[in-house]
Amino acid sequence: MTSPAPSATSASGSASGSGSVLDLAPVIPVVVLEDAADAVPLARALVAGGLPAIEVTLRTAAALDAIRAIAAEVPEAVVGAGTVISVAQVADTVAAGARFLVSPGWTDTLLAALKASGLPFLPGVSTTSEVVALLERGVTEMKFFPAEAAGGTAYLKALSSPLPQARFCPTGGVSSASAPSYLALPNVGCVGGSWMVPGDAVAAKDWARVERLAAGASALPRG
């Protein structure tokens, strides 16, 4: 299953024209790669399983090369960069071919760089005040992180009435078991998780297993 790729962002951080990153699939795989050589077969397996949006986190030395490889060799994937925490990383990931950006938190300096990138972006929040501050700055789509530690579904449900304009991608501790509860919420567009890219499967290069797990994740219903 291939979904339309997001294009340039509006001031809200959502994609214009072809839709939002939050709408590409019910789950965005959060990928940590130690070896850039695994990037292309992993991305192909995820796309084949119905998960085109792939967040490669900047937690390893291989991350930028992995983003470059996916962008060059798996055009049907919408590769993004995660754990973006500096202006320099925004520039580096854009140059590598990232098509959306995700941060675990934000500052005004980082937010300005995310907006200036021209890409869809999801700044991280974990408190009501952070959500209100982003809404004040014209951003309506956010990463809720760390989701389970920050209050989980109960917290997001409580935000939906007073702040209905905010939409979230909860990430951090979300599992195949808890994902449906998040996706049932009206203010959740998708979730981020890594259960479909288990470390042992990646180490064994068991891309068929990754594809099967991705297919299960892509079939999760959204509220």
Side-chain angles (χ1 to χ4, degrees), residues 76-169:
E76 61 271 35
V78 181
V79 62
T83 323
V84 177
I85 59 173
S86 72
V87 173
Q89 287 180 330
V90 172
D92 289 344
T93 53
V94 170
R99 295 168 69 182
F100 66 95
L101 306 173
V102 183
S103 66
W106 65 278
T107 64
D108 280 323
T109 298
L110 180 59
L111 187 64
L114 292 171
K115 287 184 175 183
S117 73
L119 298 179
F121 58 90
L122 296 172
V125 296
S126 61
T127 69
T128 306
S129 294
E130 290 172 317
V131 176
V132 171
L134 282 178
L135 292 175
E136 193 176 71
R137 290 160 174 78
V139 178
T140 60
E141 298 190 344
M142 311 165 196
K143 170 180 177 173
F144 180 59
F145 177 83
E148 286 291 286
T153 55
Y155 194 97
L156 285 176
K157 184 176 181 180
L159 292 182
S160 63
S161 292
L163 302 171
Q165 63 272 56
R167 295 182 73 213
F168 300 95
C169 174

Side-chain angles (χ1 to χ4, degrees), residues 55-88:
E55 177 187 336
V56 178
T57 68
L58 301 182
R59 302 179 194 176
T60 68
L64 286 175
D65 285 338
I67 291 169
R68 287 189 193 95
I70 295 171
E73 300 184 46
V74 194
E76 61 271 35
V78 181
V79 62
T83 323
V84 177
I85 59 173
S86 72
V87 173

